[in-house]
């Protein structure tokens, strides 16, 4: 079981080695290799269906790979105890809030279930995290009464409560208005500064990616095409990558590739 | 249909292992108990009243004809507590509560809520299955006690007020008291405990393996209820057979 979160805790490094995953009819990951450093904000971009969510699910142990390895601080996540020792959190693409609980209970769930704090302290932490994501005072609401973007922000608050060493965001700014998107981006940066958390951010949002990333990986059809700093991505010559990061709405010449 | 029995046994075993942590989940257990009671107490009473009544109606006139109407109390007493109470209540609860369990856990599975629990290092068996299994195992035997009592009363009412039968309350209950022993009631309670575990395990398991969207949830619910009822009836025969040795 997880122990109480010390206030300052360094992030962990993540290595993915030759990860393969096939679902019944199609391959989702085809030999993914990645090295993510401690405390880094690592952004993964790529077209829809390229395997980004599947990759994140492997990292947090929700899927078992067909082949390959995931190392956290050099230790395989298969080896016993690693998943219990390292505090991880994931912000799901859909939010994945528990519908039978209130917003406040959702955010405080981790602390309550692991008996890490007293109910009064939990209430305080929940209020603080909700305020952080701009949802002050919504503790009593039910998730069904929230908009998509609000759910996403509650999910982020829920992840922050864990004080994770590794946090995985699956499209944290989709469904958010530009202002909330900026808030989320700032929060991702702040978290890195405050607790040196390692962050993996899957996103289509170019502003978010180039705004927060230390490095960016491009993934397509379950394969990593390229890893580099935001500048390197912007100046990369590969036409696919260029098309992806510069795609713009063009009425006279609609694109139908990519 | 039975290919999952192995998985269900594993689920049962894991839940039993988590049993020492029940106290920590007491709030959820009492929520579940409240829900079960709320959803089924009235229906259980109505059902039992009529079941007791109908056995009286079926057997009464025949026994009166042969001049052995004094056995009515014992016949109704035994059939309610050994067979009809436990089986009827189990079927009712499978339809009423088991279906809700599958639907709730199934939708949590489909909408990734269970994945979210896992990422928070919260064991879904401890968090979801344990409180439900404990609650249903407490609730079903309790309901059976109610059902048996109400069934006896239903039988009595028909025996007394039906013109073809017309025996006295005293005759009915004194025969019932002579024939039905505590172990007969206990026998029914053991059965109902087994049925409760079957419903809990089958329905929670089916919820956890739900695939696909709302349609998948619907399919799962139907399957869970049907499988529970089939297993209850099969186990009922086997248990009756085993409990006979004990008599
Ligand atoms: N549980 C599953 N069963 C079968 N196939 C799956 C499953 N999960 C994902 N896939 C397949 O794996 C591929 C990658 O899916 P994934 O969800 O990772 O895409 P993505 O990159 O996150 O896309 P998006 O940007 O739209 O979220 C898809 O082709 C998808 O159909
Ligand atoms: Mg995705």
């Amino acid at each position: 079981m997880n122990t109480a979160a010390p206030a300052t805790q360094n992030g962990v490094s993540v290595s993915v080695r030759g990860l393969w995953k096939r679902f019944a009819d199609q391959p989702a990951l085809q030999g993914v290799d990645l090295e993510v450093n401690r405390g880094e904000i690592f952004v993964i971009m790529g077209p829809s269906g390229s395997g980004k969510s599947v990759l994140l699910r492997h990292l947090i142990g929700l899927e078992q790979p067909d082949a390959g390895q995931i190392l956290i601080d050099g230790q395989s996540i298969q080896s016993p105890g690693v998943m219990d020792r390292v505090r991880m959190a994931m912000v799901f693409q859909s939010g994945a809030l528990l519908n039978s609980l209130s917003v406040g209970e959702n955010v405080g769930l981790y602390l309550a279930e692991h008996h890490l704090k007293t109910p009064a302290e939990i209430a305080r932490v929940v209020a603080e995290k909700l305020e952080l994501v701009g949802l002050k005072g919504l503790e009593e609401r039910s998730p069904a009464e929230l908009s998509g973007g609000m759910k996403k922000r509650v999910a982020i608050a829920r992840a922050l409560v864990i004080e994770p060493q590794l946090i995985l965001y699956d499209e944290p700014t989709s469904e958010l208005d530009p202002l909330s998107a900026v808030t989320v981006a700032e929060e991702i940066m702040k978290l890195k500064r405050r607790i040196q958390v390692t962050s993996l951010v899957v996103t289509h949002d170019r502003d978010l990616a180039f705004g927060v990333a230390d490095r960016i990986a491009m993934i397509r059809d379950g394969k990593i095409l390229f890893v580099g700093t935001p500048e390197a991505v912007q100046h990369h010559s590969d036409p696919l990558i260029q098309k992806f990061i510069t795609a713009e709405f063009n009425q006279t010449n609609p694109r139908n590739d990519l | 249909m039975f290919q999952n029995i192995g998985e269900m046994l594993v689920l049962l075993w894991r839940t039993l292992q988590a049993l020492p942590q029940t106290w920590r989940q007491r709030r959820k257990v009492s929520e579940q108990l409240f829900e079960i009671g709320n959803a089924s107490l009235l229906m259980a009473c109505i059902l039992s009243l009529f079941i007791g009544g109908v056995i009286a109606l079926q057997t009464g006139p025949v026994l009166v004809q042969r001049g052995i109407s004094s056995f009515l109390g014992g016949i109704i007493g035994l059939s309610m507590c050994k067979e009809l109470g436990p089986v009827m209540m189990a079927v009712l609860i499978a339809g009423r509560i088991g279906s809700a369990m599958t639907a709730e856990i199934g939708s949590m599975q489909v909408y990734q809520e269970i994945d979210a629990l896992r990422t928070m290092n919260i064991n879904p068996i401890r968090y979801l299955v344990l409180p439900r299994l404990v609650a249903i195992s407490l609730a079903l035997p309790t309901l059976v006690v109610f059902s048996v009592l109400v069934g006896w009363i239903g039988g009595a009412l028909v025996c007394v007020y039906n013109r073809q039968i017309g025996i006295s309350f005293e005759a009915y209950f004194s025969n019932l008291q002579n024939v039905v022993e505590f172990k007969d009631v206990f026998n029914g309670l053991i059965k109902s405990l087994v049925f409760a575990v079957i419903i809990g395990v089958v329905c929670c398991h089916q919820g956890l393996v739900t695939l696909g969207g709302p349609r998948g949830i619907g399919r799962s619910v139907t399957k869970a209820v049907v499988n529970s009822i089939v297993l209850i009836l099969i186990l009922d025969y086997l248990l009756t057979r085993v409990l006979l040795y004990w008599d």
Side-chain angles (χ1 to χ4, degrees):
Chain A
M1 202 175 94
N2 296 21
T3 45
T8 54
Q9 174 83 51
N10 291 333
V12 290
S13 66
V14 179
S15 332
V16 179
R17 309 240 167 101
L19 209 61
W20 283 82
K21 179 71 176 181
R22 248 197 110 74
F23 289 110
D25 46 345
Q26 86 268 47
L29 299 177
Q30 313 192 52
V32 171
D33 293 293
L34 278 181
E35 295 289 335
V36 182
N37 305 322
R38 279 165 192 253
E40 186 175 35
I41 298 181
F42 193 92
V43 170
I44 302 170
M45 298 182 84
S48 190
S50 53
K52 306 184 296 295
S53 298
V54 172
L55 177 59
L56 288 193
R57 290 173 62 81
H58 278 85
L59 291 178
I60 201 154
L62 289 173
E63 303 272 1
Q64 298 305 318
D66 297 337
Q69 261 196 321
I70 296 165
L71 306 178
I72 291 193
D73 270 351
Q75 285 178 301
S76 164
I77 62 168
Q78 313 279 30
S79 57
V82 172
M83 295 300 273
D84 291 336
R85 264 202 313 281
V86 182
R87 282 193 315 281
M88 299 190 206
M90 174 151 169
V91 178
F92 285 82
Q93 198 164 358
S94 60
L97 301 179
L98 272 66
N99 275 303
S100 55
L101 302 182
S102 71
V103 165
E105 287 169 330
N106 262 289
V107 176
L109 185 62
Y110 179 82
L111 299 177
E113 277 302 310
H114 294 295
H115 302 271
L116 297 177
K117 289 195 159 76
T118 64
E121 284 173 321
I122 293 177
R124 193 183 50 74
V125 174
V126 167
E128 175 196 315
K129 301 298 180 200
L130 279 178
E131 186 170 0
L132 211 71
V133 294
L135 295 175
K136 193 177 174 191
L138 293 192
E139 281 95 336
E140 297 307 319
R141 290 271 197 102
S142 136
E145 300 165 357
L146 302 181
S147 74
M150 288 159 94
K151 280 185 202 164
K152 193 62 96 24
R153 282 184 282 162
V154 174
I156 292 173
R158 183 173 71 178
L160 297 185
V161 164
I162 301 175
E163 302 262 317
Q165 295 165 275
L166 172 62
I167 183 163
L168 312 174
Y169 300 90
D170 200 346
E171 310 203 3
T173 58
S174 67
E175 299 184 272
L176 293 192
D177 60 274
L179 202 62
S180 310
V182 171
T183 317
V184 167
E186 280 170 357
E187 193 47 44
I188 294 175
M189 305 275 284
K190 237 193 280 171
L191 206 61
K192 170 189 165 177
R193 247 177 283 129
R194 194 157 56 86
I195 54 176
Q196 286 83 47
V197 61
T198 308
S199 319
L200 259 94
V201 187
V202 160
T203 186
H204 296 301
D205 179 345
R206 283 170 286 181
D207 294 336
L208 174 69
F210 290 108
V212 303
D214 293 316
R215 286 189 301 155
I216 294 180
M218 298 290 299
I219 185 171
R220 190 185 155 92
D221 296 333
K223 276 175 277 200
I224 301 286
L225 291 183
F226 170 81
V227 179
T229 61
E231 295 75 41
V233 174
Q234 257 156 342
H235 302 118
H236 201 276
S237 55
D238 187 317
L240 270 171
I241 294 172
Q242 279 313 312
K243 242 189 264 179
F244 192 75
I245 63 170
T246 61
E248 258 169 44
F249 178 59
N250 184 341
Q251 202 170 22
T252 52
N253 176 24
R255 64 186 67 244
N256 32 31
D257 49 351
L258 199 93
Chain B
M1 126 165 202
F2 294 117
Q3 72 266 38
N4 292 326
I5 287 196
E7 281 172 42
M8 290 179 200
L9 289 175
V10 172
L11 179 64
L12 177 60
W13 174 240
R14 296 235 174 101
T15 315
L16 291 178
Q17 283 177 320
L19 216 51
Q21 298 168 43
T22 307
W23 184 245
R24 284 184 158 190
Q25 305 284 337
R26 60 187 178 277
R27 229 191 74 207
K28 261 172 267 146
V29 174
S30 63
E31 273 170 22
Q32 290 291 324
L33 275 175
F34 184 77
E35 223 173 288
I36 297 175
N38 207 15
S40 47
L41 204 52
L42 183 64
M43 200 137 96
C45 288
I46 296 175
L47 204 71
S48 308
L49 195 71
F50 278 89
I51 291 284
V54 85
I55 319 169
L57 208 54
Q58 291 279 14
T59 51
V62 182
L63 296 190
V64 169
Q65 256 173 28
R66 321 237 153 139
I68 45 174
S69 62
S70 58
F71 289 126
L72 264 170
I75 290 174
I76 297 170
L78 276 186
S79 46
M80 272 317 291
C81 71
K82 287 182 96 167
E83 195 56 51
L84 290 165
V87 173
M88 292 303 305
M89 285 308 108
V91 170
L92 174 73
I93 291 295
R96 195 78 204 250
I97 304 298
S99 58
M101 283 183 186
T102 309
E104 195 178 355
I105 297 180
S107 79
M108 292 183 75
Q109 174 68 47
V110 167
Y111 297 113
Q112 294 186 318
E113 292 177 26
I114 290 180
D115 288 344
L117 286 178
R118 290 217 170 90
T119 66
M120 286 187 273
N121 220 350
I122 297 171
N123 179 350
I125 291 179
R126 199 190 61 211
Y127 186 81
L128 296 171
V129 181
L130 177 68
R132 285 172 172 75
L133 198 66
V134 169
I136 201 172
S137 303
L138 293 175
L140 190 51
T142 314
L143 268 182
V144 167
V145 171
F146 266 93
S147 155
V148 169
L149 291 176
V150 174
W152 287 348
I153 294 170
L157 289 175
V158 171
C159 286
V160 173
Y161 293 110
N162 185 284
R163 265 179 295 140
Q164 284 174 288
I165 309 172
I167 62 172
S168 70
F169 270 114
E170 291 75 27
Y172 178 87
F173 278 111
S174 82
N175 180 244
L176 194 151
Q177 217 170 10
N178 282 337
V179 174
V180 179
E181 291 174 45
F182 176 73
K183 78 167 177 359
D184 296 320
V185 177
F186 192 66
N187 190 312
L189 292 183
I190 291 182
K191 277 187 177 180
S192 68
L193 183 64
V194 174
F195 297 159
V197 172
I198 292 178
I199 297 172
V201 170
V202 170
C203 294
C204 290
H205 170 265
Q206 190 59 46
L208 288 173
V209 300
T210 301
L211 288 178
R215 261 209 149 141
I217 298 171
R219 262 200 306 271
S220 261
V221 170
T222 318
K223 200 167 155 192
V225 172
V226 171
N227 286 359
S228 310
I229 292 177
V230 170
L231 276 177
I232 285 168
L233 294 178
I234 294 175
L235 260 268
D236 181 42
Y237 179 84
L238 297 176
L239 271 176
T240 306
R241 198 76 197 80
V242 170
L243 289 170
L244 272 182
Y245 288 116
W246 180 51
D247 254 353

